[in-house]
Amino acid sequence: MSEEKHWTSAPDRVVRGSMGLCHLTVFEPPFAVDALDLPPQDGARARAFAESTAGIEEVLEDLGPRSVQTPLPSDVRTDLDVAHGAAWGNMLSIADPAYAADGNDEPLRSAADELRERFPDARIVGRVAYHGGMEHTEDLVWLPDGAMFHASGWYGDEPFVVTGDPGAVIASLDLKGWMHDNAGVDLDEEANEVEWARLAGLALGHSDPWGWEQMQTTAFRVRHSEEAVRNMEELYFV
């Protein structure tokens, strides 16, 4: 059964908008590890993790290794069937175009809810940006002690909704003022102007793999669920 199962748009239809960050990471203890000291990519575990995440029904093809700095393809509809999976020891991650949104739903939060149940001792960190004339972002941190924040909306515009308690996340991580100052995070700003993705990055700290060219993921062609496809068609083509 092919990836075409749920799509109504033609495979070569041009995608509207583009993606920036689009990933969800599960980071289990120990947390004090440098990204470059994480074990090398385990493609088999990455595939299993990808197939287990909300929105993906099956991995159809292994497309080979990619640097974490290689963006997800997003030119035509068939590109939206490509996800990047990673398994670096105690860190698992998935980059999936199905996580992008424009405010009509919150796919990242839905996927994080499921992962919270599966990995109760993990830090769960999600960062997504969709560029469609303006930038819509969805960022999330959910810690083992329950501290969390979820921030979603149009950057610099309304509506923009923050749930949870960012201050509790900062306290739980024992982030010093200079740390979020250096990251350019100022919670005194309007919610739609706060750099939430940078605050999410601080939850991974020196373990954050996404800035290192040498860190490898694996690209997979996948079949998304009917709900994920419906949401992507509404976002990327309508």
Side-chain angles (χ1 to χ4, degrees):
M1 191 177 296
S2 78
E3 70 273 17
E4 305 293 323
K5 179 181 178 183
H6 303 303
W7 289 101
T8 61
S9 299
D12 59 353
R13 187 173 179 181
V14 175
V15 169
R16 179 188 70 171
S18 62
M19 290 168 282
L21 299 174
C22 208
H23 47 71
L24 184 58
T25 300
V26 175
F27 185 24
E28 295 188 285
F31 300 125
V33 56
D34 189 89
L36 295 181
D37 291 329
L38 288 167
Q41 163 76 337
D42 183 333
R45 286 185 64 222
R47 179 176 184 139
F49 179 63
E51 286 191 312
S52 74
T53 56
I56 293 178
E57 291 184 348
E58 184 181 359
V59 170
L60 302 172
E61 183 182 3
D62 184 327
L63 300 176
R66 301 287 190 274
S67 165
V68 296
Q69 294 191 342
T70 301
L72 289 167
S74 59
D75 293 326
V76 296
R77 202 277 290 157
T78 53
D79 289 337
L80 302 179
D81 295 315
V82 176
H84 294 175
W88 305 294
N90 57 320
M91 185 179 290
L92 301 167
S93 193
I94 181 79
D96 189 343
Y99 293 150
D102 61 1
N104 290 322
D105 57 3
E106 295 177 339
L108 184 76
R109 174 60 190 267
S110 297
D113 285 344
E114 181 179 297
L115 292 173
R116 175 77 286 158
E117 294 185 11
R118 292 173 54 196
F119 300 96
D121 297 324
R123 295 179 182 177
I124 297 175
V125 178
R127 293 174 285 188
V128 174
Y130 169 73
H131 308 283
M134 297 175 64
E135 182 179 66
H136 187 278
T137 62
E138 187 179 1
D139 299 288
L140 174 144
V141 172
W142 207 338
L143 303 179
D145 63 4
M148 67 87 67
F149 78 80
H150 174 251
S152 179
W154 295 98
Y155 186 79
D157 203 355
E158 299 293 343
F160 200 101
V161 178
V162 179
T163 58
D165 187 345
V169 170
I170 289 172
S172 180
L173 293 170
D174 195 26
L175 297 177
K176 309 305 181 186
W178 63 266
M179 294 178 179
H180 39 92
D181 287 346
N182 285 354
V185 176
D186 183 358
L187 295 185
D188 290 331
E189 293 182 320
E190 294 294 328
N192 60 17
E193 295 180 352
V194 173
E195 296 288 350
W196 296 107
R198 296 182 184 180
L199 180 55
L202 291 176
L204 297 176
H206 293 297
S207 305
D208 192 345
W210 298 100
W212 299 99
E213 179 73 26
Q214 56 267 58
M215 296 293 292
Q216 295 282 300
T217 66
T218 304
F220 300 109
R221 186 164 298 281
V222 306
R223 183 172 66 249
H224 284 100
S225 68
E226 184 175 5
E227 180 181 6
V229 168
R230 182 175 66 249
N231 290 340
M232 285 193 286
E233 289 207 294
E234 292 175 354
L235 177 67
Y236 293 110
F237 302 115
V238 176

